[in-house]
Amino acid sequence: MKLKNLKISMQLVIWTSVVLFIAILLATNAFVSIEGVWANTAALYAHPLTVRRAVGTLEADALSIHAYMIHLVMEENSQKNDAFTAEIDTLEADAYRQVDILYSSYLGPKSDIDAISDGMAHWKTIRAETMRLLRAGQIEEARNRVDHSNIEGTQSDKVLSSITVISDFAEIKGNEFYHDAKLHRDQYIWQTVISSVGTLLVLAGIGHFLSKGIVPPIRILTDAAQAMRQGKMGTRIQYEATNEIGALSKAFNAMAETIETEIEHKDHVAQVSSVMFHEDSMRPFCQELLESLMQRTGSQIGAIYFPNGQRNKFEPYESIGARLDDIPSFSSTGKEGEFGTALATKKVQHLTDIPSDIHVVFSAVSGDYKAKEILTIPIVNGPQVISLISMASIKCYSPASVRLINSLLNEISAHLSTIMASEKIREFSQMLQDKNVELRQQAKELEAQADELTEQNAELEMQKKQLDEASRLKTNFLSNMSHELRTPLNSVIALSGVLSRRLANKIPEDEYSYIEIIERNGKNLLNLINEVLDISRIEAGREEIEITKFNAVNIITEVVSLIKPQAEQKNIEILNQMEDVELLITSDAEKLRHIMQNLIGNAVKFTEQGHVAISAHTNENRVEITVADTGIGIAREHLPHIFDEFRQADGSTSRRFGGTGLGLAISKKLANLLGGTISVKSILNQGSEFTLSLPLRYAAENRVMEEAESDFPNDVIHQPLSLNIPMHDASEKTVLLVEDNEAAIIQVKDMIEEMGYRVQVAYDANEALEKISQAIPDAIVLDLMMPDVDGLSVLEILRNAEATAYVPVLILTAKHITKEELKFLKRNNIYQLIQKGDVKYAELQSAVKNMLFPAKVEQKQPQQKVQKMKVKPMVLVVEDNPDNMVTVKALLAEHHIVLEAINAQEGIEMAKEHIPNLILMDIALPDISGIDAFKKIREMPQLQHIPIIALTASAMTQDREAVLSYGFDAFIAKPIIAKEFFKEIQKVLYGK
């Protein structure tokens, strides 16, 4: 058998067996060599090395013993002698251990070791005698014994001599072992050289035979693979053998054949695909597709069909090899014939045996040829067949052609669907283009708005920081102010109590009642200050919490007992629906008491008839306490603000029922501190229901942190009431517009010029001040945000200059106005504030018109003045607060006749009935305001001459100006100062 026909696996087994045999021989030789080396090394270690080590230690011990004996007889200190003796014993024990080692390892005569052992024993006897003499005080004799020339020294030398004999023998024995090892080494080297050379020769022979049988065919395979990699797909291997390489050669040839076929197939697919992507219009695409498919499949006739408008027929759209008019259409619903099968199965149909009665003819120069096979290709999009392609050949279609069609089917369907969709897309392209232009414009506008919002966000962040600082300063101010007020107020309460006790039954009863009023109102004011202190302390974060476990029902029962007398005075029933319930919670009992006092007290205060019901229930880990009343209720639009500080539903509520609006604010803040909330449900004129929800167990992390809502007005500062304005010559008026934004300038200028006024424009603060210095305008429209100096600074400059102190100014800005800035604007007497972005045409023109031609409120002058009255003048006091009424009566009673009215309507009726000389009108009345009552009185001819003085607790300058603008004859602020009070009355009544 030839070597190349021998299977490679068998060749490998043979040569591997040879190599394994050689390896076993080499391993055996190496094992024998290693054993010899190990025996030699072990013998060397067991005798010469161990013996020489023991001899060295024994010699050192002997010398140390002799040295310690010398120190022992020379030393006079007994403690050191004991130490030397112990060391000698230790060294002696170690010496005997070394002797034992020599007995086990020494290869020489044992008599040599016996000589050492006997010498050591005799030496020990001599040392014992020396020590005895030393202890007996015979020191000199003992010293003589240890001398080298005497008995003890001589004996130590004998021991050392015996040791030297063994040491010399061990050295000689070690040299013998060395020579034996060297001899064995030379033998091992020659054995290794010979075996290695033999092994290399054998391996070289094996390699030669293996390379001769394997390498040449492998090289042939490699060259063929390299040729395939270079694109020579026709490469085939001609090597023939019955071994594995021969089988591999056949497999390679088969693989090459498959690869060549696949590459050809993919090339055809790629070519058809590239043709499809050349065109994006329907007809050119169909022409290119048919031409390419027919060329790759060897077809002579081809046509493509599309459904008609009614989708009941497929009609020819494009053809090659036959006239389009000669190609018939076919039904899309009948599903008959080859086309019907393709429509039903949605798969390629290959018709091979064409019946003789079917005439598919291809005309050529040499004659007509009948088609031998037909391919029908359905183009599917989703569930529908959107097109059909039919091709015919006068020869048989190869399997590669059929496979090509099947491979391209999905791609043709997808691209044809895309072409059809693109036709529809083109119809909308122009419309989309127009929309895109519009969207781009909107995008630019949105980008501008985004930039503006970014700027506003930065500004809002700065304002938030200013707000936080202002809130802190406000809290500190309230706290400090309230503490300062308590000192004089405590004196008022305390001393009024003293006077009440001392003057009882000593002064007239009506005068004695003044003391009671002073004390009662002092206590009311103290309660107000305490509420302000509570608010400031909570907001400053200084409210301490004391957590205990308690029964909430007991606290609610105590609060009900405290408020019950007040309810009984109003004939209101308090229903405590939880008297027999135990409701244990862990929280702050005093704060719960405070909350319940406010909630139940409010319910009683704002209930005129009916009842107040208190109930509670637990919900998982929370308790909910509900206070429901049948009172006046709260309008829906006021519900979001009832927990605001100093806020009640509306002004009429405050006038009817009193209060500061702090109770609910404090209650909510305390509830939040305890991790709870207060919610409210209310129907106007039917009642309210407040629900306090608290955790059964307090935890600091459960505190509710509510964001403070900004109460800064951003819309309009309300100007005084304006009346109908007669038309004037508009061309005489000049308005200075201070604005840096061109768009805003165009808008505002157009609105004002349309009214006939002249408009001057200043683009910044410096230009505005320069124009004003040249000619003072009749009115100014001022932007607050300008590049150099802001509008607030410009306004301050204008108001500090005498010439422009009263020029009306309208603020037009996009800036968010803070509370401090709003106060500044009010103090500097601006006419109106209008926000940019929400400028209303009519509002701006009305504001400019009112600035340029302000309405003058006609103040009715009394028709007659009483210069001297022989009788007491009659004064009508319209005041709903009984304490204030008593105060005014006490001041007026001595020199005036006082008429009392507790509301506006009663005051009007009494004025008509009695025609008083003077009316003192409270502004905050329970039914209608004092201003409305003033207007009604002025409308009555018989009452127009009566002077009316406004009484109000609002003492700010702007409040005084606003009240007087309605036509009141004078303004008296509460609390009443007697001297100022009489001064105003004298001025109004007598002109003094």
Side-chain angles (χ1 to χ4, degrees):
M1 180 180 289
K2 292 183 179 180
L3 182 63
K4 74 171 189 176
N5 290 328
L6 187 64
K7 290 188 177 296
I8 295 176
S9 58
M10 182 57 69
Q11 296 181 42
L12 291 176
V13 168
I14 294 172
W15 298 124
T16 302
S17 300
V18 174
V19 172
L20 183 60
F21 176 74
I22 295 172
I24 292 172
L25 291 179
L26 292 175
T28 303
N29 182 58
F31 178 75
V32 172
S33 301
I34 290 171
E35 283 297 321
V37 171
W38 167 249
N40 195 41
T41 303
L44 180 64
Y45 176 81
H47 175 69
L49 181 61
T50 302
V51 169
R52 288 300 297 271
R53 188 183 298 162
V55 166
T57 303
L58 186 58
E59 186 176 4
D61 289 342
L63 292 173
S64 297
I65 290 171
H66 183 64
Y68 277 120
M69 285 300 298
I70 294 172
H71 289 306
L72 183 65
V73 298
M74 295 297 178
E75 184 62 51
E76 296 179 357
N77 189 331
S78 61
Q79 292 181 352
K80 288 187 177 182
N81 286 340
D82 294 339
F84 292 151
T85 303
E87 287 294 334
I88 290 171
D89 293 340
T90 301
L91 293 170
E92 184 180 12
D94 184 63
Y96 278 112
R97 281 194 298 273
Q98 303 307 320
V99 170
D100 292 338
I101 292 172
L102 292 176
Y103 273 119
S104 62
S105 301
Y106 185 58
L107 298 178
K110 299 297 182 184
S111 58
D112 294 342
I113 304 173
D114 293 338
I116 295 174
S117 180
D118 294 342
M120 289 290 294
H122 183 58
W123 191 13
K124 182 175 182 181
T125 303
I126 295 171
R127 289 199 307 276
E129 179 61 23
T130 302
M131 290 180 184
R132 186 191 65 77
L133 293 174
L134 185 64
R135 285 193 294 271
Q138 300 176 10
I139 297 172
E140 190 63 32
E141 186 177 353
R143 288 177 178 175
N144 290 333
R145 287 172 64 86
V146 300
D147 190 78
H148 282 288
S149 58
N150 289 323
I151 185 170
E152 199 275 335
T154 303
Q155 186 61 33
S156 67
D157 291 339
K158 288 180 180 180
V159 171
L160 291 173
S161 297
S162 299
I163 292 171
T164 302
V165 171
I166 294 176
S167 176
D168 293 340
F169 181 85
E171 182 177 358
I172 294 169
K173 200 66 177 174
N175 291 333
E176 291 177 1
F177 282 127
Y178 171 74
H179 290 298
D180 291 341
K182 186 175 180 183
L183 180 61
H184 289 152
R185 168 183 167 275
D186 295 338
Q187 293 175 354
Y188 296 154
I189 288 175
W190 279 110
Q191 291 177 3
T192 302
V193 170
I194 293 171
S195 61
S196 297
V197 171
T199 302
L200 290 175
L201 292 175
V202 172
L203 292 177
I206 293 173
H208 172 73
F209 287 113
L210 284 177
S211 62
K212 187 176 179 181
I214 297 175
V215 172
I218 289 179
R219 185 176 292 111
I220 294 172
L221 284 170
T222 304
D223 293 341
Q226 185 69 18
M228 288 283 291
R229 189 178 69 83
Q230 293 173 357
K232 299 175 182 178
M233 298 302 163
T235 303
R236 300 294 182 268
I237 298 175
Q238 304 302 324
Y239 180 82
E240 294 182 2
T242 59
N243 62 8
E244 291 88 346
I245 296 179
L248 183 60
S249 299
K250 294 179 181 179
F252 180 88
N253 291 336
M255 179 189 70
E257 189 72 29
T258 302
I259 291 174
E260 186 176 12
T261 303
E262 286 296 322
I263 290 176
E264 184 179 357
H265 172 73
K266 291 182 179 179
D267 184 53
H268 288 167
V269 171
Q271 289 174 1
V272 176
S273 298
S274 65
V275 166
M276 287 191 291
F277 283 102
H278 285 164
E279 299 293 342
D280 57 359
S281 297
M282 182 62 73
R283 193 165 295 277
F285 170 78
C286 292
Q287 291 173 350
E288 291 283 348
L289 178 61
L290 275 177
E291 182 180 347
S292 180
L293 288 177
M294 291 174 64
Q295 180 181 352
R296 267 71 185 181
T297 59
S299 300
Q300 286 73 42
I301 302 174
I304 184 166
Y305 296 79
F306 287 102
N308 59 7
Q310 292 76 28
R311 302 191 68 84
N312 59 352
K313 284 186 177 182
F314 275 87
E315 296 179 349
Y317 181 77
E318 190 65 46
S319 67
I320 297 176
R323 287 197 323 133
L324 195 62
D325 295 338
D326 295 338
I327 301 176
S329 60
F330 61 92
S331 173
S332 62
T333 56
K335 296 184 172 56
E336 297 176 353
E338 185 187 8
F339 285 175
T341 306
L343 288 174
T345 62
K346 298 182 176 62
K347 294 182 179 179
V348 175
Q349 298 300 312
H350 182 197
L351 184 60
T352 56
D353 297 325
I354 300 177
S356 58
D357 57 342
I358 296 179
H359 298 284
V360 180
V361 178
F362 174 72
S363 298
V365 175
S366 58
D368 294 337
Y369 295 89
K370 184 180 178 181
K372 198 168 187 179
E373 291 186 353
I374 297 176
L375 280 174
T376 304
I377 309 166
I379 308 301
V380 181
N381 183 12
Q384 294 182 343
V385 176
I386 60 174
S387 178
L388 278 168
I389 300 175
S390 180
M391 295 186 300
S393 175
I394 60 176
K395 296 185 295 184
C396 294
Y397 284 111
S398 65
S401 297
V402 178
R403 183 184 174 208
L404 174 65
I405 296 300
N406 283 296
S407 299
L408 288 168
L409 183 60
N410 290 333
E411 189 170 350
I412 294 172
S413 299
H415 203 69
L416 187 57
S417 299
T418 303
I419 295 293
M420 295 174 68
S422 66
E423 293 291 331
K424 296 181 180 179
I425 292 173
R426 287 190 184 94
E427 298 175 4
F428 299 100
S429 61
Q430 188 60 41
M431 182 182 67
L432 290 176
Q433 186 176 1
D434 297 339
K435 289 291 183 182
N436 285 336
V437 172
E438 184 179 348
L439 288 174
R440 280 195 293 271
Q441 183 64 28
Q442 291 177 357
K444 291 180 181 178
E445 294 176 1
L446 289 174
E447 185 177 356
Q449 291 177 4
D451 293 340
E452 185 176 352
L453 285 174
T454 301
E455 182 179 350
Q456 290 180 358
N457 286 338
E459 188 174 339
L460 286 172
E461 182 66 24
M462 184 179 300
Q463 290 175 357
K464 181 180 180 298
K465 293 180 181 178
Q466 294 173 352
L467 172 62
D468 293 340
E469 178 64 15
S471 177
R472 186 185 65 80
L473 294 174
K474 179 203 74 173
T475 301
N476 291 339
F477 168 74
L478 287 176
S479 179
N480 295 334
M481 181 197 72
S482 300
H483 280 290
E484 291 299 322
L485 287 175
R486 287 172 64 92
T487 301
L489 188 58
N490 286 333
S491 300
V492 171
I493 296 172
L495 294 180
S496 62
V498 172
L499 289 176
S500 177
R501 292 190 299 274
R502 292 183 179 179
L503 298 179
N505 302 321
K506 294 183 180 180
I507 60 176
E509 185 175 350
D510 57 342
E511 294 181 1
Y512 182 75
S513 66
Y514 300 163
I515 300 175
E516 180 189 355
I517 293 172
I518 293 171
E519 184 176 7
R520 182 171 66 251
N521 283 281
K523 290 180 179 178
N524 289 338
L525 184 57
L526 182 60
N527 289 334
L528 170 61
I529 292 172
N530 287 337
E531 288 182 341
V532 172
L533 279 175
D534 288 339
I535 283 288
S536 64
R537 185 168 58 250
I538 294 172
E539 290 184 347
R542 296 195 293 266
E543 185 70 17
E544 297 181 357
I545 297 177
E546 184 176 350
I547 303 302
T548 58
K549 188 173 184 179
F550 58 89
N551 187 356
V553 175
N554 295 338
I555 291 179
I556 295 172
T557 303
E558 292 174 9
V559 172
V560 169
S561 300
L562 182 67
I563 298 177
K564 198 167 186 179
Q566 178 184 348
E568 291 174 349
Q569 288 180 359
K570 301 178 68 176
N571 294 322
I572 298 170
E573 184 180 5
I574 299 182
L575 303 176
N576 186 1
Q577 300 173 351
M578 44 190 298
E579 291 181 346
D580 300 328
V581 179
E582 186 177 54
L583 189 59
L584 296 177
I585 65 173
T586 302
S587 192
D588 191 316
E590 288 305 315
K591 287 179 176 50
L592 176 61
R593 187 192 310 277
H594 197 161
I595 295 171
M596 296 312 301
Q597 282 178 345
N598 286 338
L599 294 181
I600 300 175
N602 269 6
V604 172
K605 180 166 68 172
F606 294 111
T607 301
E608 297 176 329
Q609 60 181 2
H611 64 270
V612 174
I614 302 104
S615 61
H617 70 277
T618 57
N619 182 12
E620 294 181 356
N621 58 345
R622 299 183 75 83
V623 59
E624 294 184 354
I625 304 172
T626 301
V627 179
D629 62 63
T630 58
I632 62 173
I634 304 168
R636 184 174 181 179
E637 63 269 19
H638 297 311
L639 283 176
H641 309 293
I642 62 171
F643 292 106
D644 295 347
E645 299 168 19
F646 304 102
R647 186 77 172 262
Q648 289 185 337
D650 54 28
S652 62
T653 304
S654 177
R655 291 192 294 268
R656 287 177 59 191
F657 299 97
T660 61
L662 285 175
L664 287 178
I666 292 174
S667 298
K668 187 171 182 63
K669 291 180 183 296
L670 291 178
N672 293 161
L673 277 177
L674 299 180
T677 58
I678 299 178
S679 58
V680 59
K681 300 177 183 177
S682 185
I683 301 176
L684 192 63
N685 298 324
Q686 294 186 25
S688 303
E689 180 180 293
F690 287 83
T691 301
L692 169 65
S693 176
L694 287 177
L696 291 173
R697 181 174 295 277
Y698 169 83
E701 60 271 16
N702 291 335
R703 289 187 179 185
V704 179
M705 306 299 292
E706 294 190 351
E707 294 184 1
E709 295 182 0
S710 173
D711 56 355
F712 295 168
N714 290 325
D715 45 5
V716 176
I717 301 175
H718 296 288
Q719 70 256 35
L721 180 67
S722 60
L723 304 178
N724 291 329
I725 303 171
M727 294 301 296
H728 297 269
D729 186 3
S731 62
E732 298 178 357
K733 298 295 183 179
T734 301
V735 178
L736 175 61
L737 174 59
V738 186
E739 172 65 66
D740 63 319
N741 184 278
E742 191 64 35
I745 292 173
I746 294 172
Q747 179 190 27
V748 176
K749 185 179 179 183
D750 182 66
M751 290 182 181
I752 297 175
E753 286 181 341
E754 185 178 308
M755 302 172 67
Y757 306 129
R758 294 194 303 271
V759 179
Q760 292 183 344
V761 178
Y763 289 89
D764 56 41
N766 294 328
E767 185 179 353
L769 295 175
E770 183 179 351
K771 287 183 180 293
I772 292 172
S773 66
Q774 296 172 1
I776 298 175
D778 297 290
I780 300 174
V781 178
L782 178 62
D783 181 24
L784 291 186
M785 295 185 65
M786 290 184 291
D788 46 4
V789 181
D790 62 76
L792 295 174
S793 302
V794 173
L795 181 61
E796 186 174 10
I797 294 171
L798 294 177
R799 290 300 180 242
N800 289 335
E802 184 177 354
T804 57
Y806 299 101
V807 174
V809 177
L810 183 147
I811 299 297
L812 182 67
T813 184
K815 184 179 186 294
H816 175 80
I817 306 300
T818 67
K819 184 179 289 185
E820 288 73 15
E821 291 170 340
L822 184 60
K823 290 179 180 179
F824 173 82
L825 295 175
K826 284 183 175 181
R827 286 199 305 270
N828 285 278
N829 198 24
I830 71 161
Y831 189 79
Q832 191 168 347
L833 171 64
I834 297 178
Q835 285 285 346
K836 289 182 181 178
D838 191 27
V839 179
K840 296 180 176 59
Y841 184 86
E843 179 186 4
L844 179 63
Q845 289 194 338
S846 176
V848 173
K849 181 179 178 182
N850 289 335
M851 281 199 302
L852 295 173
F853 302 104
K856 296 182 180 179
V857 179
E858 297 181 3
Q859 297 187 7
K860 301 288 185 179
Q861 297 297 328
Q863 295 178 354
Q864 57 182 353
K865 284 278 187 176
V866 181
Q867 298 296 331
K868 292 184 180 179
M869 298 183 182
K870 296 181 180 180
V871 296
K872 293 182 179 180
M874 183 182 298
V875 179
L876 172 60
V877 181
V878 186
E879 172 64 66
D880 64 316
N881 186 288
D883 292 341
N884 289 342
M885 180 67 80
V886 171
T887 302
V888 173
K889 282 174 60 181
L891 293 172
L892 296 175
E894 186 174 356
H895 301 292
H896 303 79
I897 299 171
V898 179
L899 301 176
E900 302 177 36
I902 62 173
N903 56 50
Q905 193 59 44
E906 184 179 347
I908 295 171
E909 295 299 327
M910 292 185 71
K912 290 193 293 185
E913 180 182 353
H914 298 284
I915 314 296
N917 301 104
L918 176 66
I919 298 176
L920 297 179
M921 179 72 70
D922 184 22
I923 297 300
L925 292 171
D927 47 359
I928 61 174
S929 70
I931 294 174
D932 293 333
F934 168 82
K935 292 178 181 178
K936 290 187 176 183
I937 292 174
R938 283 287 181 256
E939 291 173 356
M940 301 177 186
Q942 72 273 25
L943 302 180
Q944 288 182 355
H945 68 284
I946 300 175
I948 303 177
I949 298 177
L951 287 177
T952 179
S954 300
M956 302 300 288
T957 303
Q958 57 267 31
D959 298 322
R960 177 186 180 92
E961 293 174 354
V963 169
L964 291 178
S965 68
Y966 291 107
F968 282 89
D969 294 272
F971 175 97
I972 296 177
K974 300 176 186 178
I976 297 172
I977 308 299
K979 183 177 180 181
E980 297 294 330
F981 180 73
F982 286 120
K983 181 179 178 181
E984 291 295 332
I985 291 178
Q986 290 291 324
K987 184 190 299 183
V988 170
L989 281 178
Y990 307 113
K992 297 180 179 180

